[in-house]
Amino acid sequence: MIETVLNKLEQRLGGRVYARQRLGIETDHEAQIFGQGLTFFHIENWYSIHSVIRTLFKLTGLYWRGLANAARVQVRHNDIRFKRLPAEFDGFKLLHMSDFHADMNDGAMRRLEEILVGLSYDMCVLTGDYRGATFGPFDAALARMRPVLALIKRPVYGVLGNHDTIRMVPDLEAMGVRMLLNECEPITRAGARIYLAGIDDAHYFRVDNIEKAASAIPHQAFSLLLSHTPEIYRQAAHAGFDLLLSGHTHGGQICLPGSIPLTLDSILPRKFGAGAWRYHEMAGYTSVGVGSSIVTVRINCLPEITLHRLCRAEVTTAQ
Ligand SMILES: [Fe+2]
């Protein structure tokens, strides 16, 4: 079974080491969760931790409000100015969606389907976490992604998150998503060219390879990076990327009033945990995501999809 998947991925990726690493770590992770009798009730056991948290929410009376919030997907707008954006890309609109956890967020996915119909954009990017759990079957997540992807205008690019298995890649690509697995694609418009790169998950699997993804980008070319987690902001900025789009944090998902997260599940300055930010010359955006994980509840942190508009900053030349 693993050999068949490996052979498929080897053809897709043009190499065996990366696919072998990713699949190997996934198998170890599943064994940790399911395998050992004595640790079956470990805190990380998906089903027990879910029901404990859900019960706690029900006891506090916040559950039903949080569940309703989890389906209230907002459209956020983010205009970003760049000095070296080619003039042909001035006004280029990117639809950015993240963290679907599609098989456990039917309410949010239905709302998303309603919203998508009326949106206009030039390109769509997905920053990972299509599956609810971090292990196990992935068919239900793909089945719930299919009708959503059918509503999205092409081209669509995506990366994997820490909840995804690399075994989902052939199906996602068959649904029209060009997955960027430490890879890069040129995007052309009216003869001008920018570069879109994407890396595999850097949070848990740590099989991200920015150097490989950036290797085909010419010096001084305008470039964007998709990464599930923003935790690689330093590596991305110093590799010369102009924009980093990411998700993973869910903006905290359960926040104190004022959108103050209890946890971001990341090693990250808090200001990079949600929305627009900057680091040196690089612009960044962390989507709080479409779906919710662990429990389908959001408090003081509504789900979102984002329309980024790339704008060319006026360059004043010295007299
Ligand atoms: Fe997520």
Side-chain angles (χ1 to χ4, degrees):
M1 167 65 186
I2 287 277
E3 271 308 302
T4 319
V5 181
L6 255 179
N7 288 337
K8 251 191 190 175
L9 289 170
E10 186 186 0
Q11 280 178 11
R12 163 65 180 80
L13 297 165
R16 205 169 173 85
V17 175
Y18 162 44
R20 183 174 286 276
Q21 283 178 320
R22 194 27 150 117
L23 280 170
I25 300 167
E26 286 177 16
T27 309
D28 290 352
H29 177 57
E30 298 207 348
Q32 250 175 346
I33 287 169
F34 289 122
Q36 301 96 35
L38 280 176
T39 57
F40 184 76
F41 293 106
H42 190 273
I43 192 77
E44 281 181 2
N45 181 284
W46 189 255
Y47 300 105
S48 49
I49 190 73
H50 278 211
S51 57
V52 167
I53 296 175
R54 197 177 297 116
T55 306
L56 279 175
F57 268 101
K58 282 182 179 166
L59 287 173
T60 61
L62 283 172
Y63 180 74
W64 298 108
R65 182 158 68 93
L67 180 67
N69 283 344
R72 292 172 59 198
V73 181
Q74 313 285 299
V75 182
R76 297 202 196 286
H77 296 264
N78 179 43
D79 288 2
I80 324 170
R81 304 209 162 269
F82 301 96
K83 283 184 189 148
R84 67 173 172 182
L85 181 73
E88 293 82 351
F89 280 87
D90 190 23
F92 192 76
K93 265 192 181 176
L94 275 163
L95 171 63
H96 173 200
M97 303 195 282
S98 198
D99 297 83
F100 299 87
H101 302 286
D103 46 329
M104 59 177 288
N105 284 277
D106 193 54
M109 299 300 276
R110 274 190 277 129
R111 178 69 193 123
L112 179 60
E113 285 164 342
E114 290 168 8
I115 298 170
L116 282 173
V117 176
L119 293 184
S120 83
Y121 47 89
D122 299 294
M123 187 170 95
C124 176
V125 296
L126 315 172
T127 46
D129 273 9
Y130 311 97
R131 177 168 68 173
T134 56
F135 57 87
F138 52 89
D139 297 351
L142 290 173
R144 194 61 193 88
M145 285 303 297
R146 186 169 279 110
V148 172
L149 291 172
L151 293 171
I152 300 173
K153 292 161 213 153
R154 274 38 179 171
V156 188
Y157 296 90
V159 290
L160 293 172
N162 61 305
H163 283 244
D164 302 318
T165 162
I166 199 167
R167 288 170 288 167
M168 296 161 84
V169 167
D171 289 311
L172 286 167
E173 294 205 323
M175 291 183 220
V177 184
R178 162 72 166 99
M179 297 300 290
L180 295 169
L181 301 157
N182 301 323
E183 294 167 310
C184 178
E185 279 280 328
I187 311 291
T188 51
R189 194 186 208 203
R193 185 172 272 204
I194 62 174
Y195 291 81
L196 174 68
I199 51 171
D200 197 356
D201 172 54
H203 177 76
Y204 179 78
F205 292 103
R206 299 176 74 175
V207 282
D208 53 304
N209 189 336
I210 291 186
E211 191 179 353
K212 180 173 177 288
S215 60
I217 302 175
H219 183 58
Q220 291 299 325
F222 183 89
S223 59
L224 295 80
L225 180 65
L226 306 182
S227 166
H228 176 59
T229 176
E231 289 163 295
I232 48 78
Y233 64 95
R234 281 173 296 228
Q235 292 87 339
H238 294 299
F241 284 99
D242 295 278
L243 174 62
L244 170 63
L245 297 179
S246 56
H248 177 66
T249 65
H250 293 205
Q253 190 175 311
I254 291 157
C255 294
L256 299 172
S259 302
I260 299 164
L262 300 176
T263 173
L264 292 170
D265 186 30
S266 308
I267 301 167
L268 194 69
R270 290 228 149 189
K271 63 180 178 179
F272 296 170
W277 47 266
R278 248 182 199 280
Y279 183 71
H280 292 302
E281 294 298 303
M282 185 180 76
Y285 192 92
T286 307
S287 168
V288 306
V290 174
S292 309
S293 75
I294 312 288
V295 281
T296 314
V297 165
R298 279 190 179 258
I299 308 285
N300 296 314
C301 181
L302 294 177
E304 72 167 269
I305 60 173
T306 322
L307 280 169
H308 302 287
R309 192 166 59 130
L310 310 186
C311 307
R312 192 171 150 85
E314 292 300 319
V315 181
T316 47
T317 46
Q319 296 292 310

